[in-house]
Amino acid sequence: MSNQNTVTPGLAIFERLAPLGYPLIRITAGLMLMPHGAQKLFGWFGGYGLEATGQFFEGSLGMSPGILFALLAGLVEFFGGLALVLGLLTRPAALAVTFMLGVALTVHTANGFFWTNGGVEYPLLWALTAFGIFLRGGDRFSLDARLGLRI
């Protein structure tokens, strides 16, 4: 990776704060995913838990076996989100999130683009964010960097 400064020239404060921009995106993405996983796995935050979510996945979305797909989605959202927050195994976690959201896109495609109609807008935004994180990795403010993990 180049050591070249990539910050658009401007006020010195922007140049000083710019290194925090990427960790802010990575950590926020992880924190936004975790409650969705907790809803599926544990029934927290108004969620229905694994069994009811599995029934929904199978009965309404045609994803069989529903409980397995609900478990996988919940694990990726909760523990993948946690990995993004920590910057630990960042690329594998971000790739898993990207794949899971790719599956979610197939469910939402029939509803068009806008999220207000259940469309692809929201999962597409988060899939592309996760893919961007996959491409960049944990970066310098991560456990990956701290532990010298080059994955």
Side-chain angles (χ1 to χ4, degrees):
M1 179 178 247
S2 171
N3 289 333
Q4 179 179 326
N5 188 354
T6 59
V7 178
T8 303
L11 298 175
I13 187 73
F14 296 136
E15 291 182 30
R16 293 193 57 145
L17 293 176
L20 301 177
Y22 178 70
L24 179 65
I25 292 167
R26 190 193 78 232
I27 292 166
T28 301
L31 289 173
M32 299 287 282
L33 284 166
M34 290 177 68
H36 291 278
Q39 287 178 315
K40 290 172 182 70
L41 296 174
F42 315 120
W44 298 351
F45 308 113
Y48 298 106
L50 194 54
E51 189 172 326
T53 303
Q55 290 171 357
F56 173 77
F57 273 34
E58 192 158 341
S60 297
L61 304 179
M63 300 175 80
S64 182
I67 198 150
L68 176 62
F69 283 106
L71 175 65
L72 291 173
L75 289 172
V76 168
E77 288 171 338
F78 189 80
F79 292 105
L82 180 60
L84 295 182
V85 169
L86 299 173
L88 180 63
L89 302 173
T90 306
R91 282 194 170 107
L95 188 59
V97 169
T98 302
F99 180 77
M100 186 248 342
L101 285 163
V103 173
L105 283 169
T106 67
V107 171
H108 292 278
T109 300
N111 299 326
F113 176 75
F114 292 102
W115 183 243
T116 51
N117 295 326
V120 299
E121 180 180 19
Y122 186 77
L124 179 61
L125 169 70
W126 286 109
L128 292 173
T129 300
F131 188 69
I133 293 169
F134 166 74
L135 292 175
R136 186 154 176 168
D139 211 33
R140 65 174 155 172
F141 297 114
S142 68
L143 285 178
D144 288 342
R146 184 83 164 159
L147 298 171
L149 301 175
R150 301 183 61 79
I151 54 173

